[in-house]
Structure formats: structure tokens, C-alpha cells
Amino acid sequence: LFRSVCIAGKSVHFKPKPYPLLHYVYFGKGTLTYRGRTYRLKPGDCFYIPPGEVVDYAPFEDDPWSYLWVGLGGSKGKALLESAGFGEDSVVLHDPSKAWKECFEKIYESYFDSGEYGLEALGYAYLLIHYMILGKNERAEGKEKGHIQAAKSYIRNNFQFQIRMQDVANSVGVS
């Protein structure tokens, strides 16, 4: 795990690694370009670089970012990150609770206190994944609540017509 304080105007062309990487932006702003798509990142954003992928990223000129990053080796790293919502089509997630930042910092401190990735750092890495999975579940619940609210709104606005369940489902975008 490393902490990077970036210099304005200094972009990074990241060479492929055989393991997944996570970067957590804790200060400033920047951009990530992955598979031709550019993401604008801010504090609290976490971006995923899948194994074997090439990405480019750069700090903003007027507000260069600082971030923590960690490589997750081992046979379960990629699968755990996918269970948290990361994937080749979902490389940026936001940490509204700031719990992820704390885990990144604890992994960083543990490594530099002991000089190795010991059990403490591993424990915080698993806790980080745990918080990310909780966030994924909360995002899914929020989407479900949004569907319910949209369905209620459709019914309120169309009760005078003869509507069917399929009409409500279609209006919300579900089956």
C-alpha cells in the first residue's frame, strides 16, 4: 500500500499488474481513463484497476489529488472486489461513510509500522471489503426504494385511468 501526493500536470500511464488495485482519493481531484472512458474523481471516490488492464490517470491542475492505493494479491482478491460491486464495467465507487478511507489508512499504518503486510493489514483489507459490500447492499436497497417511490408516483398520477400492474412495472423499468 502506498500514499501518493500528486503534482499538478503529472499524469500516470499505469502498466498492467497481475493483481487488482484499488485507489482511494482522499484529497483533491483527478481523472481516470479506462477503456476509452474518462471518469472525474473527487475525495471519497475509489477506483478499481482490474488485473492486466492499462489505465491513465492524472490530477487536476488547480486541485491535484492525493490518494492511497493497495494491490490485492491472492486467489480471492478479484472475486471479493467483484462481490463489492467493482468490475470491468464498474470501476469507480463512492464512499459516502468515509469508512473505506479509515481502512485504507489503517492498512497503510500497519504496513509502515511493521514493515510487512501482516495479519493486521490483512484484517483491515478484509474489513475494507466488508464495508464495500455493505455499501453495495445499501445502493441496491436505495434503488429498490426508488422503484417503489416511482411506482407510487405513477399510480397517484394515473389512478383515474384503468392501469394494470404491467403498466406500473413498465413505468418504473422493471418486470
Side-chain angles (χ1 to χ4, degrees):
L1 179 94
F2 294 95
R3 182 182 304 264
S4 296
V5 178
C6 295
I7 300 167
K10 185 179 178 195
S11 62
V12 174
H13 178 72
F14 208 86
K15 295 182 178 158
K17 302 288 188 231
Y19 47 83
L21 293 162
L22 283 179
H23 290 64
Y24 185 91
V25 179
Y26 65 90
F27 181 82
K29 298 174 186 163
T31 60
L32 165 72
T33 303
Y34 171 74
R35 293 190 173 179
R37 183 169 177 197
T38 299
Y39 302 85
R40 295 172 57 94
L41 304 172
K42 63 191 177 309
D45 285 341
C46 187
F47 64 95
Y48 167 65
I49 303 174
E53 294 287 342
V54 175
V55 300
D56 294 297
Y57 51 90
F60 277 15
E61 286 285 332
D62 61 339
D63 190 11
W65 62 7
S66 297
Y67 55 81
L68 293 157
W69 66 271
V70 64
L72 298 171
S75 60
K76 295 181 181 178
K78 184 178 178 195
L80 286 170
L81 290 173
E82 287 172 352
S83 69
F86 287 107
E88 293 178 2
D89 296 325
S90 179
V91 295
V92 177
L93 296 176
H94 186 73
D95 172 24
S97 69
K98 306 298 183 248
W100 303 357
K101 178 183 180 194
E102 186 176 335
C103 289
F104 271 94
E105 289 173 341
K106 293 289 189 181
I107 296 167
Y108 179 81
E109 290 168 12
S110 173
Y111 175 76
F112 282 99
D113 286 347
S114 68
E116 65 180 8
Y117 290 114
L119 290 176
E120 182 181 33
L122 181 61
Y124 283 116
Y126 277 115
L127 188 59
L128 171 64
I129 301 297
H130 167 74
Y131 286 137
M132 289 177 165
I133 290 170
L134 286 178
K136 177 185 175 188
N137 293 340
E138 289 171 6
R139 288 187 302 274
E141 287 173 8
K143 187 175 182 180
E144 186 176 294
K145 286 179 185 175
H147 284 97
I148 292 168
Q149 292 303 320
K152 285 180 177 180
S153 177
Y154 179 84
I155 293 167
R156 257 192 314 273
N157 294 325
N158 294 285
F159 72 90
Q160 69 275 24
F161 305 109
Q162 194 170 24
I163 57 176
R164 300 170 295 137
M165 286 298 285
Q166 189 60 47
D167 298 326
V168 177
N170 289 343
S171 77
V172 176
V174 298
S175 58

